[in-house]
Each structure stands twice: as structure tokens, then as C-alpha cells.
Amino acid sequence: MTRLSSLIRPAPLLVAALFVSPLALSGAFSTAQAADMPQTTTPSTTKLDFNVTGNAHAAPTELTIRLSVRADSPSAATAQKDVNTRMAAALKLAGGQAGIEARAGGYSIYENTPEHAPKSWTARQELELTGKDSVQLLALAGQLQSQSLMLEGMDWSLDDATREQLLKDARTAALKQVRQQAEQSAQTLGLRLVRLKEVRISSQEPGPRPVMLMAARMADSAPPQRSPDEQTLRVNVFVQAELSQ
């Protein structure tokens, strides 16, 4: 007798396994997470450029007077000796007055060779006087002219402390003005001023202001008169303003 148990064999179990890549899961999660996150946008901005000038005015505070000593002689040594002696006397006179700075300047000597006259030598040296008391300085210049020094020119200028203060005042005025213009422009456009950037500042300073002089020699005459003109310092400010809603 045949046993059925030995003829009937059980069928193997089929197990289906689902394999999912970890990278696929990560990408799916990231995509879902990004979809759930709120999107942020950068507000648009408007940029305007402004260029303004601030001014500061003041009367000059310092006077510089330029004189020269000149001597002519058939001998180069004699001409130089004459110039040296007279320059030493001029420096001594100027050095005895407080508030006046005296500086001996350029020195030159050259030979004159006219066609129908004897040869000669000319020696020359410059003297520069600077001070804030113009009345005192002009009186000294008159004394030196009476000692045969030649008046070459006068320049008005600003002393360092006054110039720095004027630059500061002009810069402050320009910065206030450019901010006011930026705020007014923003209000006109229905926007608000976010910030000022790319600020560039430059200054324009006046040089020495020359005083016109007569060409004629002024020995034994009244001292030169002063006529100072107001000087203006300018500061230019360039700013880019950023506006937004």
C-alpha cells in the first residue's frame, strides 16, 4: 500500500520582497519637505544717485609777502657779498617781530653780457614773510622796501586750523543735504529710504589768492595795502540711495 504522504509534496512558499533605495526615499522626503516650506521673496529695491556740494566761506587768515634782494656788480663776488649782507639785515629785522615767519628763498647769480657794454654780474635772493597779523606784516614789508628790497607779490590764504574747520563744516552741510534729498525723493516715489551706500567725498580748496601789485618800485613810499577776498571751500558728496516699499 502506497502512502499518500510520500507522494504529495508541499509547494514552496513564494515571498515577495519590496526593495526601495534609500536615496529615493531621501529625495522623496526632501521634495515633500520643500513643498511644505513657505517660500520667501526678496523685496525689489530702487537705486538713486545723488551728487551734492557743501560750501563754507571765510576771510583769509594768513598773508604771505614775497620780496627779493638784488645786486649788480662787475665782480661776481662783490654782487654776492652785497646780497648776503642785505639779506642778513632783512632776516634780523623780521626775526625781531613776533608772529612773523621769515624764510630766505632761492638764490641765483648770472653774468650779463650786453653787446655794447661791459660785462657784469647779478646776484639775487628771495625773501618770504608769512603771518596772521596783516597790519604788522605789511608795515614790515614797507620797512624792507625802504632798504631797497623789491616787492614781488602777496598771497592771501587760510591757516591750517581754519582750513580744517571749514572743510568739516562743508562736509557736514553736504551730508545733511544729500540725506534730505534722498528722503524727499523716496517720499515722492511712495517708497522709503533703506540706506545710503557708496558714499564718496572729495574737496576743492582754494589756492593762494594773489594780490595785484604795481610794477614800479615802491621804495620810501607807504607800505602796500591789504584787500583780502573771501575764500570758499567746497566738498562734493556722491551717494547712492537704496529705496524700497
Side-chain angles (χ1 to χ4, degrees):
M1 182 175 181
T2 303
R3 294 181 180 180
L4 293 175
S5 59
S6 62
L7 296 176
I8 301 174
R9 296 178 180 178
L13 295 174
L14 298 178
V15 179
L18 178 63
F19 176 76
V20 180
S21 169
L23 293 177
L25 284 173
S26 175
F29 177 77
S30 299
T31 302
Q33 186 181 38
D36 294 337
M37 292 177 61
Q39 299 295 322
T40 59
T41 58
T42 302
S44 60
T45 59
T46 301
K47 296 178 181 179
L48 293 178
D49 294 336
F50 295 90
N51 192 358
V52 302
T53 300
N55 298 321
H57 310 276
T61 58
E62 201 167 67
L63 177 63
T64 298
I65 299 180
R66 302 186 306 278
L67 302 104
S68 65
V69 179
R70 173 174 170 168
D72 300 298
S73 175
S75 167
T78 301
Q80 292 179 81
K81 182 179 180 181
D82 187 10
V83 166
N84 295 345
T85 300
R86 290 159 60 194
M87 178 59 71
L91 289 172
K92 183 178 179 180
L93 178 61
Q97 301 194 33
I100 293 180
E101 181 181 358
R103 294 184 296 271
Y107 195 108
S108 63
I109 183 167
Y110 54 91
E111 185 179 18
N112 303 302
T113 56
E115 186 176 356
H116 302 292
K119 295 181 179 180
S120 64
W121 290 85
T122 298
R124 181 179 178 276
Q125 188 173 17
E126 298 175 352
L127 175 64
E128 188 175 274
L129 306 174
T130 303
K132 295 182 180 179
D133 189 339
S134 58
V135 175
Q136 177 191 17
L137 197 60
L138 291 167
L140 175 60
Q143 287 182 271
L144 294 174
Q145 283 181 276
S146 67
Q147 297 178 8
S148 73
L149 271 72
M150 295 290 295
L151 181 62
E152 302 289 347
M154 295 191 297
D155 295 326
W156 291 103
S157 61
L158 297 167
D159 64 272
D160 293 341
T162 302
R163 183 171 58 254
E164 288 300 322
Q165 183 61 47
L166 288 177
L167 285 173
K168 179 181 178 181
D169 294 343
R171 183 169 57 250
T172 300
L175 290 172
K176 288 182 178 179
Q177 184 179 355
V178 75
R179 183 171 187 86
Q180 182 180 10
Q181 288 187 9
E183 290 175 344
Q184 289 176 347
S185 298
Q187 184 178 4
T188 302
L189 295 172
L191 302 173
R192 63 181 179 86
L193 175 62
V194 177
R195 60 173 176 165
L196 299 176
K197 62 179 186 177
E198 296 185 13
V199 180
R200 296 196 296 271
I201 299 176
S202 62
S203 60
Q204 299 176 5
E205 301 182 34
R209 186 72 59 85
V211 180
M212 300 302 294
L213 298 174
M214 295 176 60
R217 185 170 177 171
M218 299 175 63
D220 299 325
S221 63
Q225 299 302 306
R226 61 192 181 101
S227 56
D229 295 325
E230 187 177 62
Q231 297 202 357
T232 301
L233 278 75
R234 294 181 173 86
V235 172
N236 299 319
V237 175
F238 170 83
V239 169
Q240 186 176 84
E242 196 171 274
L243 313 179
S244 181
Q245 292 182 344

Short mmCIF file of all heavy atoms in Angstrom, two decimals, residues 144-198:
data_model
loop_
_atom_site.label_atom_id
_atom_site.label_comp_id
_atom_site.label_asym_id
_atom_site.label_seq_id
_atom_site.Cartn_x
_atom_site.Cartn_y
_atom_site.Cartn_z
N LEU A 144 61.20 147.06 4.70
CA LEU A 144 62.18 146.38 3.86
C LEU A 144 62.26 147.01 2.47
O LEU A 144 63.34 147.05 1.85
CB LEU A 144 61.82 144.90 3.75
CG LEU A 144 61.93 144.11 5.06
CD1 LEU A 144 61.41 142.69 4.88
CD2 LEU A 144 63.38 144.08 5.55
N GLN A 145 61.16 147.52 1.98
CA GLN A 145 61.19 148.22 0.71
C GLN A 145 62.06 149.48 0.80
O GLN A 145 62.78 149.84 -0.14
CB GLN A 145 59.78 148.60 0.27
CG GLN A 145 58.98 147.43 -0.30
CD GLN A 145 57.61 147.88 -0.74
OE1 GLN A 145 56.69 147.96 0.09
NE2 GLN A 145 57.46 148.20 -2.00
N SER A 146 61.99 150.15 1.94
CA SER A 146 62.81 151.35 2.12
C SER A 146 64.30 151.02 2.19
O SER A 146 65.14 151.90 2.03
CB SER A 146 62.39 152.09 3.39
OG SER A 146 62.69 151.32 4.54
N GLN A 147 64.61 149.73 2.42
CA GLN A 147 66.00 149.27 2.42
C GLN A 147 66.37 148.64 1.07
O GLN A 147 67.28 147.83 1.00
CB GLN A 147 66.22 148.27 3.55
CG GLN A 147 66.01 148.86 4.93
CD GLN A 147 66.18 147.85 6.05
OE1 GLN A 147 66.59 146.72 5.82
NE2 GLN A 147 65.86 148.26 7.27
N SER A 148 65.65 149.01 0.03
CA SER A 148 65.89 148.64 -1.36
C SER A 148 65.53 147.20 -1.70
O SER A 148 65.96 146.70 -2.74
CB SER A 148 67.34 148.94 -1.77
OG SER A 148 68.24 148.00 -1.18
N LEU A 149 64.74 146.54 -0.88
CA LEU A 149 64.23 145.25 -1.28
C LEU A 149 63.04 145.45 -2.22
O LEU A 149 62.27 146.42 -2.07
CB LEU A 149 63.78 144.41 -0.07
CG LEU A 149 64.87 143.54 0.57
CD1 LEU A 149 65.88 144.39 1.34
CD2 LEU A 149 64.23 142.49 1.47
N MET A 150 62.91 144.56 -3.19
CA MET A 150 61.84 144.66 -4.17
C MET A 150 60.65 143.81 -3.74
O MET A 150 60.80 142.66 -3.33
CB MET A 150 62.33 144.18 -5.54
CG MET A 150 63.42 145.05 -6.14
SD MET A 150 62.80 146.67 -6.64
CE MET A 150 61.69 146.22 -7.96
N LEU A 151 59.45 144.40 -3.83
CA LEU A 151 58.23 143.66 -3.52
C LEU A 151 57.81 142.88 -4.77
O LEU A 151 57.51 143.46 -5.81
CB LEU A 151 57.13 144.63 -3.10
CG LEU A 151 55.78 144.00 -2.72
CD1 LEU A 151 55.94 143.07 -1.52
CD2 LEU A 151 54.76 145.08 -2.43
N GLU A 152 57.77 141.54 -4.65
CA GLU A 152 57.46 140.68 -5.79
C GLU A 152 55.99 140.28 -5.83
O GLU A 152 55.43 140.08 -6.92
CB GLU A 152 58.34 139.43 -5.75
CG GLU A 152 59.83 139.70 -5.75
CD GLU A 152 60.34 140.21 -7.09
OE1 GLU A 152 59.58 140.12 -8.08
OE2 GLU A 152 61.48 140.70 -7.15
N GLY A 153 55.36 140.12 -4.67
CA GLY A 153 53.97 139.70 -4.69
C GLY A 153 53.45 139.40 -3.30
O GLY A 153 54.22 139.26 -2.34
N MET A 154 52.11 139.29 -3.18
CA MET A 154 51.46 138.96 -1.92
C MET A 154 50.37 137.94 -2.19
O MET A 154 49.66 138.03 -3.20
CB MET A 154 50.86 140.20 -1.26
CG MET A 154 51.88 141.24 -0.83
SD MET A 154 51.14 142.54 0.22
CE MET A 154 49.95 143.27 -0.91
N ASP A 155 50.22 136.99 -1.29
CA ASP A 155 49.19 135.96 -1.42
C ASP A 155 48.40 135.85 -0.12
O ASP A 155 48.99 135.78 0.97
CB ASP A 155 49.81 134.58 -1.72
CG ASP A 155 50.50 134.55 -3.06
OD1 ASP A 155 50.02 135.23 -3.98
OD2 ASP A 155 51.52 133.85 -3.19
N TRP A 156 47.07 135.81 -0.24
CA TRP A 156 46.21 135.53 0.90
C TRP A 156 45.89 134.05 0.93
O TRP A 156 45.68 133.42 -0.11
CB TRP A 156 44.91 136.33 0.79
CG TRP A 156 45.08 137.81 0.97
CD1 TRP A 156 45.08 138.75 -0.01
CD2 TRP A 156 45.27 138.50 2.19
NE1 TRP A 156 45.26 140.00 0.52
CE2 TRP A 156 45.37 139.87 1.88
CE3 TRP A 156 45.37 138.11 3.52
CZ2 TRP A 156 45.57 140.85 2.84
CZ3 TRP A 156 45.56 139.07 4.49
CH2 TRP A 156 45.65 140.43 4.15
N SER A 157 45.80 133.47 2.11
CA SER A 157 45.48 132.06 2.24
C SER A 157 44.85 131.81 3.60
O SER A 157 44.62 132.74 4.39
CB SER A 157 46.74 131.19 2.07
OG SER A 157 47.70 131.52 3.07
N LEU A 158 44.56 130.53 3.88
CA LEU A 158 43.97 130.12 5.16
C LEU A 158 45.00 129.34 5.96
O LEU A 158 45.73 128.51 5.41
CB LEU A 158 42.74 129.24 4.91
CG LEU A 158 41.57 129.89 4.19
CD1 LEU A 158 40.57 128.83 3.75
CD2 LEU A 158 40.90 130.93 5.08
N ASP A 159 45.03 129.58 7.25
CA ASP A 159 45.91 128.78 8.09
C ASP A 159 45.33 127.37 8.23
O ASP A 159 44.16 127.13 7.92
CB ASP A 159 46.10 129.43 9.47
CG ASP A 159 44.79 129.49 10.24
OD1 ASP A 159 44.04 130.49 10.08
OD2 ASP A 159 44.51 128.56 11.00
N ASP A 160 46.16 126.43 8.67
CA ASP A 160 45.76 125.01 8.70
C ASP A 160 44.51 124.77 9.55
O ASP A 160 43.61 124.03 9.15
CB ASP A 160 46.92 124.15 9.21
CG ASP A 160 48.08 124.14 8.23
OD1 ASP A 160 47.86 124.47 7.05
OD2 ASP A 160 49.21 123.79 8.65
N ALA A 161 44.46 125.36 10.74
CA ALA A 161 43.33 125.11 11.64
C ALA A 161 42.02 125.63 11.05
O ALA A 161 40.99 124.94 11.10
CB ALA A 161 43.58 125.76 13.00
N THR A 162 42.05 126.81 10.47
CA THR A 162 40.84 127.37 9.86
C THR A 162 40.41 126.55 8.65
O THR A 162 39.21 126.29 8.46
CB THR A 162 41.09 128.83 9.43
OG1 THR A 162 41.48 129.61 10.58
CG2 THR A 162 39.85 129.43 8.81
N ARG A 163 41.36 126.13 7.84
CA ARG A 163 41.03 125.33 6.66
C ARG A 163 40.38 124.00 7.06
O ARG A 163 39.39 123.58 6.45
CB ARG A 163 42.28 125.07 5.83
CG ARG A 163 42.00 124.29 4.55
CD ARG A 163 43.21 124.25 3.63
NE ARG A 163 44.37 123.66 4.27
CZ ARG A 163 45.43 124.36 4.70
NH1 ARG A 163 45.46 125.66 4.54
NH2 ARG A 163 46.44 123.75 5.27
N GLU A 164 40.92 123.33 8.08
CA GLU A 164 40.34 122.06 8.51
C GLU A 164 38.92 122.23 9.04
O GLU A 164 38.04 121.41 8.79
CB GLU A 164 41.23 121.42 9.59
CG GLU A 164 42.54 120.87 9.07
CD GLU A 164 42.35 119.78 8.04
OE1 GLU A 164 41.42 118.97 8.20
OE2 GLU A 164 43.10 119.75 7.05
N GLN A 165 38.68 123.30 9.77
CA GLN A 165 37.34 123.56 10.30
C GLN A 165 36.35 123.84 9.17
O GLN A 165 35.20 123.37 9.19
CB GLN A 165 37.37 124.72 11.29
CG GLN A 165 36.02 125.01 11.95
CD GLN A 165 35.50 123.82 12.76
OE1 GLN A 165 36.25 123.23 13.53
NE2 GLN A 165 34.23 123.48 12.57
N LEU A 166 36.79 124.60 8.18
CA LEU A 166 35.91 124.90 7.05
C LEU A 166 35.59 123.64 6.26
O LEU A 166 34.45 123.45 5.80
CB LEU A 166 36.57 125.94 6.14
CG LEU A 166 36.63 127.38 6.69
CD1 LEU A 166 37.37 128.28 5.71
CD2 LEU A 166 35.24 127.91 6.96
N LEU A 167 36.56 122.78 6.06
CA LEU A 167 36.31 121.52 5.37
C LEU A 167 35.29 120.67 6.14
O LEU A 167 34.41 120.04 5.54
CB LEU A 167 37.62 120.75 5.17
CG LEU A 167 38.55 121.26 4.08
CD1 LEU A 167 39.87 120.50 4.12
CD2 LEU A 167 37.91 121.16 2.71
N LYS A 168 35.43 120.65 7.44
CA LYS A 168 34.48 119.90 8.27
C LYS A 168 33.08 120.47 8.13
O LYS A 168 32.09 119.72 7.99
CB LYS A 168 34.93 119.94 9.73
CG LYS A 168 34.01 119.21 10.68
CD LYS A 168 34.52 119.31 12.12
CE LYS A 168 33.57 118.62 13.09
NZ LYS A 168 34.05 118.74 14.50
N ASP A 169 32.95 121.80 8.17
CA ASP A 169 31.63 122.44 8.04
C ASP A 169 31.02 122.14 6.67
O ASP A 169 29.81 121.85 6.56
CB ASP A 169 31.76 123.95 8.23
CG ASP A 169 32.18 124.31 9.66
OD1 ASP A 169 32.05 123.45 10.55
OD2 ASP A 169 32.66 125.44 9.87
N ALA A 170 31.83 122.23 5.61
CA ALA A 170 31.32 121.97 4.27
C ALA A 170 30.91 120.52 4.10
O ALA A 170 29.89 120.20 3.47
CB ALA A 170 32.37 122.35 3.23
N ARG A 171 31.68 119.60 4.67
CA ARG A 171 31.35 118.18 4.57
C ARG A 171 30.05 117.86 5.31
O ARG A 171 29.19 117.11 4.80
CB ARG A 171 32.51 117.36 5.14
CG ARG A 171 32.31 115.85 5.03
CD ARG A 171 33.60 115.11 5.35
NE ARG A 171 34.10 115.43 6.67
CZ ARG A 171 35.21 116.13 6.91
NH1 ARG A 171 35.92 116.61 5.91
NH2 ARG A 171 35.62 116.36 8.15
N THR A 172 29.88 118.43 6.50
CA THR A 172 28.65 118.21 7.27
C THR A 172 27.44 118.74 6.51
O THR A 172 26.39 118.08 6.45
CB THR A 172 28.75 118.88 8.64
OG1 THR A 172 29.86 118.32 9.36
CG2 THR A 172 27.49 118.68 9.44
N ALA A 173 27.57 119.93 5.93
CA ALA A 173 26.46 120.51 5.17
C ALA A 173 26.09 119.63 3.98
O ALA A 173 24.91 119.43 3.68
CB ALA A 173 26.83 121.92 4.71
N ALA A 174 27.09 119.10 3.29
CA ALA A 174 26.82 118.27 2.11
C ALA A 174 26.15 116.96 2.50
O ALA A 174 25.21 116.51 1.83
CB ALA A 174 28.13 117.99 1.37
N LEU A 175 26.59 116.34 3.58
CA LEU A 175 26.00 115.07 4.00
C LEU A 175 24.55 115.24 4.46
O LEU A 175 23.68 114.41 4.17
CB LEU A 175 26.84 114.45 5.12
CG LEU A 175 28.22 113.92 4.70
CD1 LEU A 175 29.04 113.52 5.91
CD2 LEU A 175 28.07 112.75 3.73
N LYS A 176 24.28 116.33 5.18
CA LYS A 176 22.91 116.60 5.59
C LYS A 176 22.01 116.84 4.37
O LYS A 176 20.88 116.38 4.31
CB LYS A 176 22.86 117.82 6.52
CG LYS A 176 23.42 117.55 7.91
CD LYS A 176 23.29 118.80 8.78
CE LYS A 176 23.79 118.54 10.19
NZ LYS A 176 23.69 119.76 11.04
N GLN A 177 22.55 117.56 3.42
CA GLN A 177 21.77 117.89 2.23
C GLN A 177 21.45 116.64 1.40
O GLN A 177 20.33 116.47 0.91
CB GLN A 177 22.53 118.90 1.37
CG GLN A 177 21.76 119.38 0.14
CD GLN A 177 22.56 120.40 -0.65
OE1 GLN A 177 23.64 120.81 -0.24
NE2 GLN A 177 22.05 120.79 -1.79
N VAL A 178 22.43 115.74 1.25
CA VAL A 178 22.19 114.57 0.42
C VAL A 178 21.20 113.62 1.10
O VAL A 178 20.38 112.98 0.42
CB VAL A 178 23.52 113.85 0.11
CG1 VAL A 178 24.05 113.07 1.30
CG2 VAL A 178 23.35 112.92 -1.09
N ARG A 179 21.23 113.51 2.41
CA ARG A 179 20.25 112.66 3.09
C ARG A 179 18.84 113.24 2.96
O ARG A 179 17.87 112.51 2.75
CB ARG A 179 20.61 112.48 4.56
CG ARG A 179 19.65 111.54 5.27
CD ARG A 179 20.10 111.16 6.65
NE ARG A 179 19.21 110.13 7.20
CZ ARG A 179 19.34 108.84 7.01
NH1 ARG A 179 20.36 108.39 6.27
NH2 ARG A 179 18.50 107.97 7.53
N GLN A 180 18.74 114.56 3.09
CA GLN A 180 17.43 115.20 2.95
C GLN A 180 16.86 114.98 1.55
O GLN A 180 15.68 114.68 1.39
CB GLN A 180 17.56 116.70 3.25
CG GLN A 180 16.24 117.45 3.18
CD GLN A 180 16.43 118.94 3.49
OE1 GLN A 180 17.55 119.43 3.56
NE2 GLN A 180 15.34 119.64 3.65
N GLN A 181 17.72 115.10 0.53
CA GLN A 181 17.26 114.88 -0.83
C GLN A 181 16.81 113.43 -1.04
O GLN A 181 15.82 113.17 -1.73
CB GLN A 181 18.37 115.23 -1.82
CG GLN A 181 18.64 116.72 -1.94
CD GLN A 181 19.63 117.03 -3.04
OE1 GLN A 181 19.99 116.17 -3.83
NE2 GLN A 181 20.08 118.28 -3.10
N ALA A 182 17.55 112.48 -0.46
CA ALA A 182 17.19 111.07 -0.62
C ALA A 182 15.85 110.77 0.05
O ALA A 182 15.00 110.05 -0.51
CB ALA A 182 18.29 110.19 -0.03
N GLU A 183 15.62 111.31 1.22
CA GLU A 183 14.36 111.08 1.92
C GLU A 183 13.19 111.72 1.17
O GLU A 183 12.11 111.14 1.08
CB GLU A 183 14.45 111.61 3.35
CG GLU A 183 15.40 110.80 4.25
CD GLU A 183 15.57 111.42 5.62
OE1 GLU A 183 15.22 112.61 5.78
OE2 GLU A 183 16.05 110.71 6.53
N GLN A 184 13.39 112.92 0.66
CA GLN A 184 12.33 113.58 -0.10
C GLN A 184 12.00 112.82 -1.38
O GLN A 184 10.82 112.68 -1.75
CB GLN A 184 12.74 115.01 -0.43
CG GLN A 184 12.77 115.94 0.78
CD GLN A 184 13.27 117.33 0.43
OE1 GLN A 184 13.83 117.56 -0.65
NE2 GLN A 184 13.10 118.27 1.35
N SER A 185 13.03 112.31 -2.05
CA SER A 185 12.79 111.55 -3.28
C SER A 185 12.04 110.26 -2.99
O SER A 185 11.15 109.86 -3.74
CB SER A 185 14.13 111.25 -3.96
OG SER A 185 14.79 112.44 -4.33
N ALA A 186 12.40 109.58 -1.90
CA ALA A 186 11.71 108.35 -1.53
C ALA A 186 10.24 108.62 -1.24
O ALA A 186 9.34 107.87 -1.68
CB ALA A 186 12.39 107.72 -0.32
N GLN A 187 9.96 109.70 -0.53
CA GLN A 187 8.57 110.04 -0.21
C GLN A 187 7.79 110.37 -1.47
O GLN A 187 6.63 109.98 -1.62
CB GLN A 187 8.56 111.23 0.75
CG GLN A 187 7.17 111.61 1.24
CD GLN A 187 7.22 112.77 2.24
OE1 GLN A 187 8.28 113.32 2.49
NE2 GLN A 187 6.08 113.11 2.78
N THR A 188 8.43 111.08 -2.40
CA THR A 188 7.75 111.42 -3.65
C THR A 188 7.39 110.17 -4.45
O THR A 188 6.33 110.10 -5.09
CB THR A 188 8.65 112.34 -4.50
OG1 THR A 188 8.95 113.53 -3.75
CG2 THR A 188 7.97 112.74 -5.80
N LEU A 189 8.25 109.18 -4.42
CA LEU A 189 8.02 107.94 -5.16
C LEU A 189 7.16 106.94 -4.40
O LEU A 189 6.90 105.84 -4.90
CB LEU A 189 9.37 107.29 -5.51
CG LEU A 189 10.27 108.09 -6.46
CD1 LEU A 189 11.65 107.43 -6.56
CD2 LEU A 189 9.62 108.20 -7.83
N GLY A 190 6.71 107.30 -3.20
CA GLY A 190 5.93 106.38 -2.41
C GLY A 190 6.75 105.24 -1.85
O GLY A 190 6.22 104.14 -1.61
N LEU A 191 8.01 105.47 -1.63
CA LEU A 191 8.92 104.46 -1.10
C LEU A 191 9.52 104.96 0.20
O LEU A 191 9.23 106.06 0.67
CB LEU A 191 10.02 104.15 -2.13
CG LEU A 191 9.56 103.67 -3.51
CD1 LEU A 191 10.73 103.57 -4.46
CD2 LEU A 191 8.84 102.32 -3.40
N ARG A 192 10.38 104.13 0.77
CA ARG A 192 11.10 104.53 1.98
C ARG A 192 12.60 104.37 1.75
O ARG A 192 13.03 103.52 0.96
CB ARG A 192 10.66 103.68 3.18
CG ARG A 192 10.96 102.20 3.05
CD ARG A 192 10.47 101.41 4.25
NE ARG A 192 10.74 99.98 4.09
CZ ARG A 192 11.90 99.41 4.42
NH1 ARG A 192 12.88 100.15 4.92
NH2 ARG A 192 12.08 98.11 4.24
N LEU A 193 13.36 105.19 2.44
CA LEU A 193 14.82 105.12 2.32
C LEU A 193 15.34 103.96 3.16
O LEU A 193 15.15 103.92 4.38
CB LEU A 193 15.45 106.44 2.79
CG LEU A 193 16.98 106.48 2.83
CD1 LEU A 193 17.55 106.28 1.43
CD2 LEU A 193 17.46 107.81 3.42
N VAL A 194 15.97 103.00 2.51
CA VAL A 194 16.51 101.84 3.21
C VAL A 194 17.90 102.16 3.76
O VAL A 194 18.18 101.97 4.93
CB VAL A 194 16.59 100.62 2.27
CG1 VAL A 194 17.23 99.42 2.99
CG2 VAL A 194 15.20 100.25 1.77
N ARG A 195 18.76 102.68 2.92
CA ARG A 195 20.12 103.02 3.35
C ARG A 195 20.81 103.87 2.29
O ARG A 195 20.36 103.94 1.14
CB ARG A 195 20.94 101.75 3.60
CG ARG A 195 21.10 100.86 2.38
CD ARG A 195 22.05 99.72 2.65
NE ARG A 195 22.13 98.82 1.51
CZ ARG A 195 23.08 97.90 1.36
NH1 ARG A 195 24.02 97.78 2.27
NH2 ARG A 195 23.09 97.10 0.30
N LEU A 196 21.90 104.49 2.71
CA LEU A 196 22.79 105.21 1.81
C LEU A 196 24.08 104.41 1.70
O LEU A 196 24.67 104.02 2.70
CB LEU A 196 23.08 106.62 2.33
CG LEU A 196 21.87 107.55 2.51
CD1 LEU A 196 22.31 108.86 3.13
CD2 LEU A 196 21.19 107.80 1.18
N LYS A 197 24.54 104.20 0.48
CA LYS A 197 25.76 103.42 0.31
C LYS A 197 26.63 104.04 -0.77
O LYS A 197 26.22 104.97 -1.47
CB LYS A 197 25.43 101.96 -0.03
CG LYS A 197 24.68 101.78 -1.34
CD LYS A 197 24.42 100.30 -1.60
CE LYS A 197 23.79 100.08 -2.96
NZ LYS A 197 23.60 98.64 -3.26
N GLU A 198 27.84 103.51 -0.89
CA GLU A 198 28.81 104.01 -1.87
C GLU A 198 29.00 105.51 -1.72
O GLU A 198 28.90 106.27 -2.69
CB GLU A 198 28.38 103.65 -3.29
CG GLU A 198 28.34 102.15 -3.57
CD GLU A 198 28.03 101.83 -5.02
OE1 GLU A 198 28.10 102.76 -5.85
OE2 GLU A 198 27.72 100.67 -5.31
#
